[in-house]
Amino acid sequence: MLIFEAHARLLIVVHGVIGAALVAVSTHLAVWTWRIRKNPHFRRGALRFAAICAALYALELILGNVLYPTYKIRVRAEFLDNPQAISRDLASRATAGARIAEAAPAIPDSAPAAPGANTARAVPPEVREATIRRNRTIARIFDVKEHLVALGLALALACPVLLWAADPSAERRTVATTARVLTLLVAAITWFAAVVGLTITTIRSV
């Protein structure tokens, strides 16, 4: 039994909203940390963004772990790694599309199609195989994303600590190098995770 399956749709919406906020905050953090190189007064604003980013990142990771068992069963096992389910989905879409086309008004000066001709159209084998390969590839990329996100949490937590502990007299050496690299990595990971998550959702949601 999947404990949170009944609330999975609500949780994934919240997960997406927080993810969008995290992408925005992490991007702002990277920009503000870059600005410290020219103006040390941006350090206070960067520290504020770093604290918000770390909190959002931790909350997003918790929600992702809550949703993961539902994804693993309902999305990964039942669809992405299931060629039979993919074939049935493609056939169902092709049938529905053919019925819609058959019911649409005929285009003037075109030859009328025979009744039932569209519904007999089958899914080409190359389309089926390409879809199966694509889904498996995206599932593997999602696994890579999970490992990067776990690593990103440590980086996100390190950013506010580094900015807070930085010596103002040495900001150019400390913040403008180490912190700037960390914030860029956090922003890159959040963007990558958001794109991969959205891609999975467009293919199959909970």
Side-chain angles (χ1 to χ4, degrees), residues 132-133 139:
I132 291 173
R133 288 195 301 270

Side-chain angles (χ1 to χ4, degrees), residues 40-121:
H41 295 293
F42 279 103
R43 175 173 171 268
R44 180 175 297 180
L47 179 57
R48 182 170 61 251
F49 278 122
I52 297 173
C53 181
L56 288 176
Y57 202 113
L59 180 58
E60 183 77 340
L61 189 60
I62 291 172
L63 281 174
N65 286 330
V66 168
L67 284 165
Y68 188 77
T70 303
Y71 157 79
K72 192 70 174 180
I73 300 299
R74 301 305 181 201
V75 179
R76 181 73 183 268
E78 292 184 359
F79 188 76
L80 296 180
D81 290 338
N82 189 338
Q84 290 77 21
I86 295 172
S87 298
R88 288 193 299 268
D89 180 73
L90 289 172
S92 176
R93 290 171 181 266
T95 301
R99 288 175 178 172
I100 292 171
E102 191 176 65
I107 300 175
D109 301 327
S110 63
N118 289 330
T119 56
R121 188 184 306 163

Side-chain angles (χ1 to χ4, degrees), residues 12 15-16 71 75-76 79-80 89 93 131 133-143 145-146 190-206:
I12 202 168
H15 188 56
Y71 157 79
V75 179
R76 181 73 183 268
F79 188 76
L80 296 180
D89 180 73
R93 290 171 181 266
T131 304
R133 288 195 301 270
R134 180 203 66 184
N135 288 358
R136 286 176 175 171
T137 299
I138 292 175
R140 288 194 290 268
I141 293 175
F142 188 90
D143 291 340
K145 185 266 295 184
E146 293 296 288
T190 57
W191 274 97
F192 177 72
V195 171
V196 173
L198 286 173
T199 302
I200 287 286
T201 305
T202 59
I203 295 174
R204 188 77 166 190
S205 186
V206 295

